[in-house]
Amino acid sequence: MSNLVPSTTKWDARYLGPVPHDASYYAKCMLGGVLACGVTHAGITPLDVAKCNMQVNPTKYKGLAPTLSLLAKEEGRTGLWKGFGPTFVGYSLQGMFKYGLYEFFKDTYMNAAGEEISAQYKPLIWLAGSASAEVFADIALCPLEMTKVKIQTSATGTFPTSFGAALTEMKKTKLETRYPFGSLVPLWSRQIPYTMAKFFFFEKIVQVFYTHIFPEPKETYSKPTQLGVTFASGYLAGVVCAIVSHPADSVVSLLGKKENKGKGVGQIASEVGWKSLATKGLGTRVIMIGTLTGFQWWIYDSFKSSMGLGTTGGK
């Protein structure tokens, strides 16, 4: 596949960028996704610990700053980094499939639709490509996400906090925790809409930038300018993502709570209430996901640019 030769008679989406989208291209995009998601998610572990505890125990943990202060007081500063290991590994794997397969599925669906339909229905291509990629990304993420949530939301001393010991305990208690894929459906419910919004709004905002603010051909602008557009578009897309996916994110956190053992998603949602699911911890998550998504896209496009693959999106 690396020696693909563009056809002179048939339009091919794999040749629309600065370099052919061959096996090497997709592999590099996968590596870029590892860097983008693994590093950023692990780096904001304290925010994630606070957010999960605010969702699971809102009467005790109220507001970002008070929650961080209380957690530090109860468990020390190391307690704020609980779940760092499974977060880093899990989201590295998720990013690998999310970004790499998005590029693959986007090209595949564009070629299946043809040039005219692809141009006319480009947003649908973005949505279909991102949704397809996220299905596989979440299968890779789920066991590690379940472990991370259990570490972060268990009362002090009731569950191991080291990565290896936590994985061992999850395997021992798999009938109780439904490890490794017990949270896959709610994870899909959270991540697929999130990723569809993330990629759709990112691509759309980038398109707006290069249509109305930087109207010349994208390649005529400097790399810092292009990466600035990438970060701004990613941040704005992340804010939308946080709002869209927050109720399902709350459910994923609540599934790790001991009191909810054996309960289904519908029962938890009914008991907690949709308003609470949609609002508790939302402010923290908007800050977290906006910053996270902005830096993810910036890291991803910086890596792509350094590999000569060009930045993502445009007219």
Side-chain angles (χ1 to χ4, degrees), residues 110-140:
M110 287 175 71
N111 281 337
E115 182 177 8
E116 185 177 340
I117 294 176
S118 292
Q120 187 176 358
Y121 296 103
K122 190 175 288 185
L124 293 181
I125 299 289
W126 299 335
L127 291 170
S130 58
S132 299
E134 191 60 35
V135 169
F136 295 95
D138 289 343
I139 292 172

Side-chain angles (χ1 to χ4, degrees), residues 190-209:
R190 180 187 82 183
Q191 289 296 139
I192 291 177
Y194 164 82
T195 298
M196 291 172 74
K198 173 179 179 175
F199 282 80
F200 171 83
F201 284 104
F202 172 80
E203 295 265 19
K204 195 68 177 174
I205 294 167
V206 169
Q207 191 178 64
V208 169
F209 268 111

Side-chain angles (χ1 to χ4, degrees), residues 21 28 38 49 78 88 135 139 147 157 186-187 269 300 303:
H21 293 188
K28 289 172 183 175
V49 173
T78 56
F88 178 72
V135 169
I139 292 172
T147 304
L187 195 59
Y300 179 66
F303 180 80

Side-chain angles (χ1 to χ4, degrees), residues 64-231:
L64 176 58
T67 297
L68 288 171
S69 177
L70 182 55
L71 287 169
K73 182 179 179 180
E74 291 177 336
E75 304 182 41
R77 294 191 181 277
T78 56
L80 297 177
W81 291 93
K82 292 190 303 182
F84 178 90
T87 297
F88 178 72
V89 175
Y91 282 92
S92 291
L93 291 172
Q94 188 215 33
M96 179 175 71
F97 291 110
K98 182 199 296 278
Y99 283 91
L101 289 184
Y102 172 67
E103 303 280 1
F104 173 77
F105 281 121
K106 185 168 65 169
D107 289 341
T108 300
Y109 294 152
M110 287 175 71
N111 281 337
E115 182 177 8
E116 185 177 340
I117 294 176
S118 292
Q120 187 176 358
Y121 296 103
K122 190 175 288 185
L124 293 181
I125 299 289
W126 299 335
L127 291 170
S130 58
S132 299
E134 191 60 35
V135 169
F136 295 95
D138 289 343
I139 292 172
L141 170 64
C142 188
L144 294 141
E145 176 75 357
M146 291 182 70
T147 304
K148 180 211 75 158
V149 170
K150 190 69 175 175
I151 290 172
Q152 292 178 341
T153 59
S154 295
T156 304
T158 63
F159 192 82
T161 56
S162 64
F163 190 7
L167 283 176
T168 300
E169 189 65 22
M170 291 294 285
K171 291 174 184 176
K172 285 182 181 178
T173 58
K174 61 183 180 181
L175 291 178
E176 175 186 333
T177 61
R178 294 179 292 166
Y179 180 85
F181 297 112
S183 293
L184 184 57
V185 172
L187 195 59
W188 274 334
S189 299
R190 180 187 82 183
Q191 289 296 139
I192 291 177
Y194 164 82
T195 298
M196 291 172 74
K198 173 179 179 175
F199 282 80
F200 171 83
F201 284 104
F202 172 80
E203 295 265 19
K204 195 68 177 174
I205 294 167
V206 169
Q207 191 178 64
V208 169
F209 268 111
Y210 286 116
T211 301
H212 300 289
I213 301 174
F214 302 101
E216 300 302 321
K218 186 174 77 169
E219 58 272 14
T220 65
Y221 295 103
S222 67
K223 284 295 181 283
T225 297
Q226 291 186 39
L227 292 173
V229 169
T230 290
F231 179 79

